[in-house]
Amino acid sequence: MNRSALFALLALSVAANATLGFLALRRTPVAVSAPASASVTPAAAKASPGSPGLAAAAVKLSEKIAAPRTGANLREIAAELRAAGFSDQLVKTIMQSLVNEELMRRQQAIFDWSAVPYWKNVRPTPEQQRAMRELQKERRALLAEAGLPVSPMEDAFRRRQFGGLPEAKISALEKIQQDYNDLRQEMFEQSQRGGAAGARDIAAQQKLLQEEQERDIAALLTPEEKIEYELRNSNAANQVRSHLNGVDVSEQEFRTLFAAEKAYEAANPRSIGGPVSPAQMQAGLAAWDDYQKATQNLLGPDRYREYLLNSQMNNPSARSFFAERPGITTSQMQDIARLTRSIPLEIQQASVPGLSNDERRAQMAAAAERLRARAVQILGAQYAQEAENARVLSLPRAGGASMPAVRLPGGG
């Protein structure tokens, strides 16, 4: 049977077999016949195997399908399919399949996952990753040029990411994100080639790059649009979402927590980077206290306890420690979290310039004893010792400094 029979099969299988049938059209013709009991759609009635219009369309399409993919080429194919009686939905499915098949063929030529043995940990090189990102940009541009929408799943993801922003601004934001991601990748590759010195510089460079990206975004959006964008894409929003893992909140509660996180970040000198004075650390602790009070008032005791546990997910032993000891109250958990947060301040105060090694060790030992006594006051002697043994509370040592093991709400 010739190609026109395959088009008939497409029309008869609008849902599950549309893509499969169309891809079969592009390969060696196969004899197929529709079951007599199959329900025939209006499109199939127009496009029956014996239809002269469909046979003529097959001849025209065979050349267009073999041609390089361009927006004009895709629009011509779509016009031929509609003229042959295919529905708009089926035309869209076929056109997207054409674009995606071309994309997958070219991506496989860049890096073929199927050729990697399952027992080997082979990854695309930076050059291959860059080429695949360029291929994705080309795909989006080709779909837009052809007047084809993205898939419903991709569209839903974009709307979740960008909310109700106009399409033109969504496209501009996607370009900003892609451009800066490419720069970050290039920066990372350069740092790898530069050895230890390059790795030391990358943090400062990434910070400058992030600030530049935020300026570009702010220039594109209104203040209201920028808030909506940040609610979906900012580090502050991601931080809140990670703390709320498994905690049920409403959208308005999330927005309130996001505002509290932003306020805390603005008041916390440690989020700026660089050296921090004891006075700035004290200000950061006060800002953390305000942040926790606002969060607890909003969530209530049960949800706030889970919030505290989630905020320590970077230290699984801390989460396990509190989860296995339900007798420790939420208030005690919060006090331990604050105590842990105060350890860098204690270390800095014990390491003032001009001290001899013996004096510094004595100061550090005294700081450790003060912190240990405070932990006993909060948890009791047994739980305090267990917390220290489990490294939930990592105290400074006489010969040096030990940083806190707990990941705290609002950042470290």
Side-chain angles (χ1 to χ4, degrees):
M1 188 171 291
N2 61 21
R3 293 174 180 264
S4 61
L6 291 175
F7 277 110
L9 176 62
L10 278 171
L12 288 170
S13 55
V14 172
N17 297 324
T19 302
L20 180 62
F22 186 73
L23 296 181
L25 170 64
R26 304 191 59 196
R27 297 177 173 82
T28 305
V30 181
V32 291
S33 59
S37 60
S39 60
V40 180
T41 64
K46 285 187 188 178
S48 62
S51 169
L54 185 56
V59 174
K60 295 180 181 179
L61 281 167
S62 62
E63 297 177 358
K64 291 184 171 62
I65 289 172
R69 292 289 169 265
T70 65
N73 165 258
L74 290 170
R75 288 193 296 270
E76 289 173 1
I77 294 174
E80 294 288 348
L81 289 171
R82 290 190 181 96
F86 288 96
S87 69
D88 288 342
Q89 180 60 43
L90 186 53
V91 170
K92 182 178 75 171
T93 300
I94 293 171
M95 303 307 292
Q96 288 174 337
S97 296
L98 279 174
V99 174
N100 290 334
E101 184 191 25
E102 176 75 5
L103 172 76
M104 299 211 34
R105 181 186 63 77
R106 293 174 58 190
Q107 180 165 307
Q108 189 175 30
I110 297 170
F111 184 83
D112 187 3
W113 281 104
S114 65
V116 177
Y118 74 89
W119 63 90
K120 292 186 177 181
N121 187 23
V122 180
R123 300 291 177 187
T125 65
E127 292 76 15
Q128 289 171 323
Q129 293 177 32
R130 188 182 303 112
M132 287 189 284
R133 289 197 301 271
E134 289 297 323
L135 200 59
Q136 288 294 338
K137 288 197 292 187
E138 183 180 336
R139 170 184 172 272
R140 290 193 296 270
L142 186 59
L143 286 170
E145 184 184 356
L148 292 169
V150 296
S151 68
M153 182 179 294
E154 188 174 348
D155 183 63
F157 177 80
R158 290 172 81 239
R159 289 299 166 185
R160 186 182 190 277
Q161 185 179 12
F162 299 110
L165 289 174
E167 181 62 33
K169 290 194 175 183
I170 292 178
S171 297
L173 283 169
E174 287 179 326
K175 186 177 188 308
I176 289 173
Q177 289 177 341
Q178 186 64 61
D179 289 346
Y180 278 97
N181 286 341
D182 289 343
L183 288 172
R184 289 186 180 93
Q185 182 64 33
E186 292 174 9
M187 188 180 299
F188 176 75
E189 293 167 13
Q190 291 172 2
S191 73
Q192 295 294 97
R193 290 191 293 268
R200 284 194 299 269
D201 293 338
I202 192 170
Q205 294 173 354
Q206 293 279 20
K207 184 174 183 293
L208 291 174
L209 201 63
Q210 182 64 32
E211 291 171 352
E212 188 64 28
Q213 180 176 354
E214 289 174 0
R215 280 193 289 270
D216 286 351
I217 291 172
L220 176 67
L221 304 176
T222 67
E224 293 77 13
E225 289 172 338
K226 186 171 181 290
I227 290 175
E228 294 300 315
Y229 175 80
E230 289 180 344
L231 279 163
R232 293 161 173 80
N233 300 280
S234 66
N235 289 333
N238 290 335
Q239 186 85 303
V240 174
R241 275 190 287 268
S242 70
H243 295 165
L244 292 173
N245 183 32
V247 181
D248 186 25
V249 297
S250 67
E251 181 181 0
Q252 186 54 53
E253 286 176 324
F254 175 80
R255 288 172 177 265
T256 301
L257 290 170
F258 169 77
E261 173 72 29
K262 292 280 288 183
Y264 168 69
E265 288 183 358
N268 180 18
R270 297 193 67 186
S271 64
I272 301 173
V276 180
S277 69
Q280 289 175 312
M281 287 186 176
Q282 291 282 12
L285 281 172
W288 187 81
D289 290 337
D290 293 339
Y291 180 31
Q292 299 310 304
K293 184 183 297 183
T295 303
Q296 189 168 17
N297 288 339
L298 178 70
L299 296 178
D302 292 339
R303 291 191 298 171
Y304 179 67
R305 182 183 179 88
E306 188 65 23
Y307 175 89
L308 276 177
L309 287 172
N310 287 336
S311 72
Q312 299 174 3
M313 281 295 286
N314 280 2
N315 180 17
S317 63
R319 183 177 177 88
S320 298
F321 177 85
F322 290 115
E324 293 168 2
R325 295 165 176 82
I328 297 178
T329 67
T330 301
S331 178
Q332 288 173 307
M333 286 175 54
Q334 183 178 345
D335 287 344
I336 286 295
R338 192 186 192 283
L339 179 65
T340 306
R341 188 175 188 79
S342 70
I343 290 177
L345 176 60
E346 292 282 352
I347 291 173
Q348 188 164 355
Q349 290 175 333
S351 304
V352 294
L355 295 178
S356 67
N357 288 338
D358 288 342
E359 289 172 329
R360 184 171 289 107
R361 280 193 293 268
Q363 291 272 33
M364 200 71 69
E369 286 307 311
R370 286 195 301 271
L371 291 164
R372 186 173 288 110
R374 178 63 180 143
V376 171
Q377 184 182 6
I378 295 170
L379 294 176
Q382 180 178 340
Y383 279 168
Q385 186 61 56
E386 290 173 0
E388 190 171 353
N389 293 343
R391 297 190 60 78
V392 172
L393 184 66
S394 198
L395 300 179
R397 296 183 297 272
S402 178
M403 297 304 292
V406 178
R407 176 70 176 176
L408 296 162

